[in-house]
Amino acid sequence: MQKERIQLSDHFTYGRIMRFAIPSILMMLFISIYGMVDGIFVSNFAGDKAFTGVNIIWPWPMLLGAIGFMFGAGGVALVGKTIGEGNLDKARQYFTAIVIATFSIGVVAAVSSDIFMPQICSLLGANEDTMYAAKVYGYFLCSSIPFFMVQNLFQNFLVAAEKPKIGLQVTLVAGLTNICLDALFVAAFKWGVIGAAAASVTSQVVGVTLPILYFVSKNNDSLLKFTKPKIEIKNFLKVIVNGSSELLSNVSISLVNILYNLQLLKYIGDSGVAAYGVMQYICFFFMSIFFGYTVAMGPVVSFNYGSQNNDELHNIYKKGLFLMGIFSIFMTILAVSLSRVFANIYVGYDQSLSDLTTKGFRLFAIGFLMMGFNVYSSAFFTSLNNGKISLIISFGRTLVFQLIALYSLPLLFDNHVLGIWLSFPTAEVASILVSFIFLLTQKKKYHY
């Protein structure tokens, strides 16, 4: 017997939450996996210098791609609220305009990045050994930025359209495309960094094309479809403000990654950057569970806020906190237990590098205990159309507290690298205090 379709207007039990959220969680997990696969193939088939070069430039396209997350999170908050208010036609107009704006901005970002790519690589710390890999990977990935941005955008809007399973299916197809082409281009054809980059770009194009075909199709029951675009300047600015926390979060992550690399180059050299690169791939895999949950439940929060269903808003909020606690404990235990396994997958050919990565990640993983609550809190306020509070939480978690810890802790330890590895969990501890202060003080205003 086929299970009933879950709608934004439903009452969400734990079972219904997980049925609705699991496709988005799996979607984010698969996105992280096919990102990890690039690193595995480059490290094992192109060598540690190429792997270091890729990790040096990697934060830049991620930084640009964050614009897609901004329009996705901020746009879904507006569109979900508009649907909750009963204005479906207007919601579709907003959706169409946001997609067009995101792609257009992506074109400008791509052209600008390719023009200044050598300077960007030098600024991020590339040297004679790593410059070639950094430039090649950067040229390819930045050229596809418009597709990457819109791909990130569709991850959110497919959930708002009550079609999270389609989002998962698209991600699976794009991810399998990337993995198969990595095996062909990097392992079989020995194209190195060029092969890995070409595989990523192709998968991004696939990840954009399939949702576009779905949204233009007249034979679907999606809440959202492409139509004549229309959005007021006031609402467009609201999208930017509401999504600014997600933008800042991703920009900050990219910036902090760059600064981590520079600190590691200062204290330990290229091996530190390679180890940190492995840790970031693994970290993104674990973080994707938190992000997947918030992508799924964000439109539900926005819908109930728009329809003023305070009882259901409270229900979703309470259950979300509990699930974040369960996820956090489970992932921390799993990350610490499997740290050696993950390290060997990437750099098992170098025992000292594997040891460095394993020790670093075990300290790094402590931050997962607090991260879920912080990600949830920021996303919750974005869904309530309060971009300012969401921005404050993200600004503290991903930038301010990270920078303070990154530049102060290494000075407190004789082993400077130990201080670098502890920077992430220290920042998450400080951030969770800020998150809970806002959740407690804003409860009467939003009635959750």
Side-chain angles (χ1 to χ4, degrees), residues 4 109 124 159 219 229 231 250 254 267 275 283 290 340 365 435 448:
E4 61 178 320
L124 299 185
V159 178
N219 299 317
I231 188 168
N250 284 277
S254 296
Y267 287 117
C283 188
F290 298 135
R340 173 64 70 179
S435 295
Y448 53 76

Side-chain angles (χ1 to χ4, degrees), residues 385-404:
N385 283 253
N386 192 328
K388 293 180 181 178
I389 291 180
S390 182
L391 180 63
I392 292 171
I393 294 173
S394 289
F395 188 70
R397 185 180 79 84
T398 59
L399 188 62
V400 176
F401 297 135
Q402 286 261 24
L403 292 185
I404 293 173

Side-chain angles (χ1 to χ4, degrees), residues 169-228:
Q169 292 165 1
V170 169
T171 300
L172 282 173
V173 173
L176 289 173
T177 299
N178 190 64
I179 292 171
C180 292
L181 291 181
D182 266 329
L184 183 66
F185 295 162
V186 183
F189 293 170
K190 307 297 182 184
W191 288 356
V193 174
I194 294 176
S200 293
V201 170
T202 305
S203 71
Q204 289 168 8
V205 173
V206 170
V208 168
T209 303
L210 295 179
I212 288 176
L213 293 175
Y214 175 76
F215 283 123
V216 299
S217 172
K218 296 180 180 179
N219 299 317
N220 67 62
D221 59 350
S222 170
L223 280 179
L224 298 178
K225 299 178 181 180
F226 286 129
T227 186
K228 184 178 180 180

Side-chain angles (χ1 to χ4, degrees), residues 370-371 373-378 381 389 393-394 397 428 430-441 448:
M370 288 72 64
M371 176 191 277
F373 292 103
N374 294 322
V375 170
Y376 177 76
S377 300
S378 177
F381 283 109
I389 291 180
I393 294 173
S394 289
R397 185 180 79 84
E428 294 293 343
S431 299
I432 202 169
L433 300 176
V434 177
S435 295
F436 276 118
I437 287 173
F438 278 117
L439 287 174
L440 292 173
T441 57
Y448 53 76

Side-chain angles (χ1 to χ4, degrees), residues 31-42 54 58 61-62 136-145 147-149 151 173-183 185-186 191-208 281:
I31 288 173
S32 70
I33 287 171
Y34 76 72
M36 292 169 68
V37 167
D38 258 7
I40 292 171
F41 276 100
V42 171
V54 166
W58 183 77
M62 294 303 105
V136 168
Y137 200 75
Y139 277 127
F140 271 86
L141 268 292
C142 288
S143 295
S144 69
I145 279 298
F147 302 100
F148 184 46
M149 286 183 183
Q151 183 184 26
V173 173
L176 289 173
T177 299
N178 190 64
I179 292 171
C180 292
L181 291 181
D182 266 329
F185 295 162
V186 183
W191 288 356
V193 174
I194 294 176
S200 293
V201 170
T202 305
S203 71
Q204 289 168 8
V205 173
V206 170
V208 168
Y281 282 118

